[in-house]
Amino acid sequence: SNPFEVKVNRQKFDILGRKTKNDVGLPGVSRSKAIKKRNQTLLKEYKEREKTNVFKDKRFGEYNTKITPEEKMIRRFALERQQNYGKKNIYNLNEDEELTHYGQSLAEIEKLNDIVDSDSDTEERGTLSAELTAAHFGGGGGLLRKKVSSEQRDEEEEKPKSRKELIEEMIAKSKQEKQERQTRRESALELTEKLDKDWKEIQTLIARKTPKSERKDKEVEKPKPDEYDMIVRELGFEMKAKPSERLKTEEELAKEEQARLQKLEADRLRRMHGIDEEANKKRPSHMSADDLADGFILDKDDRRLLSYKDGKINIENEEEKEEEEGEEDEEEEGEEEDNENEEESQEESASEDEENGAADSHSDLESDLDSEEEAAGNEEEKKNKANENEPQNVEKLDPKREAAKSELPYTFAVPESYETFKSLLAGRTIEQQLIILERIQKCNHPSLAVGNKAKLEKLLGFLLEYIGELATLDLPELRTIDKLVLPLYNLCQMFPEAASDSIKFILRDAAHDLEEVIEVKGRATFPGLDTLIYLKIVSLLFPTSDFWHPVVTPAFMYMSQLLTKCRITTLQDVIKGLFVCCLFLEYISLSRRFVPELINFLLGVLHISLPKNQAQGYTVVHPFTPVGKNLELLLVCDKEDLKSWEKQNVPLSIVTRLKETSRTEINHTRLSCLALCFDLIKKCAALYESLSSFHEIMHPVRMLLTQHVPVNEYPEKLQEWYHSALKELENKVKHYTPLICEKKKPVPLKQYTPKIVKVLEFGKKQAGNKKEQERKQLIQRHKRELKGAIREIRKDNQYLARMQLSETMERDSARKRKVKELLGSLATQEGEWKAMKRKKWKN
């Protein structure tokens, strides 16, 4: 062995007792063995990769000695039948299948035994008689003759008929046959008509009405139809499904609505200006008998209507009539445009007349001049009559004009400023205002033009400002505000960002005003009615159950500031505070969020309904004070007012007109506020009953209701409200659990005893038990085999790449050799040819 081919695997440490397998390796020998093995296996497969020269016997059980020959044959026959099952041979002519077409056998159709109907002449055009075929396709004189008796044959031989005579005879026969067919057809028609008449006469004699008794018996005997027959009849009368129209997009709907409103507006303007619809319709233009209808104009029909009046030609121009009607209109720009169009059309007609007249005779010119003179004389008479008929037409059109003027326009532009928006809605009813806002939205939909979105966003701000202005009036128009919320909601759905920005701006201004008043005066008052309505609108436009919302959360904070920082000095403040409490309950109806300001305010409202000198066992939170001049705001001492009180809702508009009301009405309002307070306490109890601290939260309210409120002095209906609120508070069961320390496993103290681990063999991974050890051994063996397989695959690929490279190099070398041989032969030929050429020149 060559010492240079020996590789020694040296180890760092010599360990006693360890057997080493691969101390010395022979890489050259192992490489040559691998190449030899691949030459015998892989190279052979590579060379035979595209060859299919192996015969395989796939006969069932051919090499199975356990099966007898009879079983083999039976099994092979069964397999053959299974393969051919379901397959029909298109060339199998032995099958007894009969092909049909519309219920008739193709074999019968191919026989062409159809009976030809000889009623019509057109159907017999294709049939050829023997004489016709003999005349045209005979080819000889003997063929053109007829078969006759021997005597006639001798005569005809003496006088043969010419071709012309034969054709005339054939034509006469065909005419005779045609006449006979016609007579037969007419006779058949006459017979059928006669038969119909006779049958009608006989039918009247045969017809006999059955008596009613027999009819009833027959009706009873009639069998009832089966369920199946009834269902079949119902299915016959059922409506078949029709394809529905495609759902239109929002842009298409907006365009259709805009077009509809523009058409209605055009009709309204026409009626307002008194333009008759029938007058606008085009009159039928006069057409002469010699007109070739080749002088049409696609854009406009400039021909005049020819008419006669008092025996003279009267030429009326429809455009002049339109000009007269346009003079009555108020739109001066439209009149100027019409006059310009008329002048242009007159110039065009004059130029056309001049061009046509140049080619005509002088007599035509003279007749045209006469007709123009007559027409000029008739124009003055017509103007006088038109002036007399004008007042009558105006009287007829006046009511239509007034009705059209009183109508709302169908198209509106978005107002650019708040003043124009306010003037647009001023003096209108609620329904008209809603219609105006709806038409503004439809005519200026964002999908119709680019700038409409910004215009409608501006309209949203104008509408909010208008609602605030309606709320600040001496008599606030709350019904109008209620109706205007719907268009506001629609605009908010279209532009949520703009709506949120507008509401946030209003809330920011209100919060800044509240802080400024507190800094200047040290105390604040409740805001106006417009701000309270804006808070109500927030709950209608935006979701109030979100944990955080960019509009609702600031509204929450602002309302909590109102209930804690605004002093209660008048009955109006109490009403506004209770309204804010109602808004709080509306906001938290879904989220059930706890609002401490709400409970404290209701407690304070109950506190100001008690007498001053009553002992207190509860605490009152700001803005209420236990002692002060503003107590007893809801205390009613008049017994007559207590008796005459009836439960009614507290209207928000009473805030503005409370000073003008009488003493009795004020006392009734106080009792209504107290009843509302009881109702709110009941709703809060139902809302917060799931809280674990419910009883602690409502304890001051329950103590005040049970110990301090003078229930016996209140009316019966108010006592019912009181008892229902108290019952709602007392019926709630305490369902909280006491606090208990969490049970945990005790942590043991750290011990410093050594942890002994049994080490069987250094350097090897140890396992807990035998199964785990075997599992790890299998994993290790799998990894080793996988690495070896990957290595062998890589070597195989390298070997194949070398084989492919050697093949390509061999092909290239062979090609180069052949090219050199060809070039050499060509060079020798060229040399020989040149040598011969030189010899020729020398010679």
Side-chain angles (χ1 to χ4, degrees), residues 448-647:
L448 298 175
V450 178
N452 285 351
K453 183 180 178 183
K455 292 178 180 179
L456 290 179
E457 287 178 354
K458 197 183 292 183
L459 177 69
L460 178 65
F462 294 160
L463 189 56
L464 281 171
E465 190 175 352
Y466 182 67
I467 288 172
E469 187 174 337
L470 291 178
T472 53
L473 297 173
D474 294 336
L475 294 174
E477 299 180 7
L478 296 180
R479 289 185 179 178
T480 307
I481 293 171
D482 185 29
K483 298 289 184 182
L484 290 175
V485 169
L486 181 60
L488 187 66
Y489 178 79
N490 293 333
L491 289 171
C492 179
Q493 294 296 314
M494 293 172 70
F495 315 108
E497 293 182 2
S500 63
D501 292 340
S502 302
I503 298 289
K504 280 193 286 186
F505 181 75
I506 292 169
L507 292 174
R508 197 183 301 119
D509 285 353
H512 286 319
D513 293 343
L514 185 68
E515 290 174 0
E516 288 177 1
V517 171
I518 291 171
E519 287 178 2
V520 174
K521 296 184 179 179
R523 57 188 178 85
T525 57
F526 275 94
L529 203 58
D530 54 345
T531 307
L532 299 178
I533 286 173
Y534 285 140
L535 293 172
K536 173 68 177 176
I537 288 172
V538 167
S539 66
L540 299 173
L541 299 184
F542 302 101
T544 57
S545 60
D546 294 353
F547 182 76
W548 184 88
H549 192 274
V551 179
V552 178
T553 304
F556 257 110
M557 299 299 295
Y558 180 66
M559 288 194 295
S560 61
Q561 288 180 352
L562 291 180
L563 293 184
T564 52
K565 294 183 179 180
C566 296
R567 297 288 298 274
I568 306 297
T569 56
T570 59
L571 186 58
Q572 289 91 329
D573 295 338
V574 176
I575 295 170
K576 290 178 181 179
L578 289 173
F579 180 73
V580 175
C581 291
C582 293
L583 288 180
F584 260 126
L585 281 174
E586 189 177 345
Y587 275 45
I588 63 174
S589 60
L590 294 174
S591 61
R592 296 176 178 270
R593 188 177 298 174
F594 176 61
V595 183
E597 294 87 356
L598 174 62
I599 306 297
N600 291 331
F601 191 85
L602 293 176
L603 182 67
V605 170
L606 291 176
H607 170 68
I608 61 176
S609 66
L610 303 176
K612 284 183 180 180
N613 300 325
Q614 199 165 359
Q616 293 182 0
Y618 54 89
T619 55
V620 181
V621 185
H622 193 270
F624 299 96
T625 55
V627 179
K629 61 180 181 179
N630 293 324
L631 298 178
E632 299 183 351
L633 280 175
L634 297 181
L635 184 65
V636 179
C637 300
D638 195 348
K639 294 182 180 180
E640 292 181 0
D641 293 342
L642 288 169
K643 289 179 181 179
S644 61
W645 176 78
E646 290 182 359
K647 175 66 178 76

Side-chain angles (χ1 to χ4, degrees), residues 14 53 135 165 195 235 323 438 488 617 649 751 774 779 808 820 831:
D14 293 332
N53 54 359
E165 290 175 352
L195 188 63
L235 289 173
E323 183 182 355
E438 183 184 359
L488 187 66
N649 295 327
Q751 297 178 352
E774 289 177 356
I779 292 170
T808 53
K820 283 181 181 179

Side-chain angles (χ1 to χ4, degrees), residues 813-829:
S813 63
R815 182 174 174 277
K816 286 178 182 177
R817 180 175 52 76
K818 289 179 181 179
V819 169
K820 283 181 181 179
E821 290 176 357
L822 288 171
L823 289 173
S825 65
L826 289 171
T828 55
Q829 287 179 9

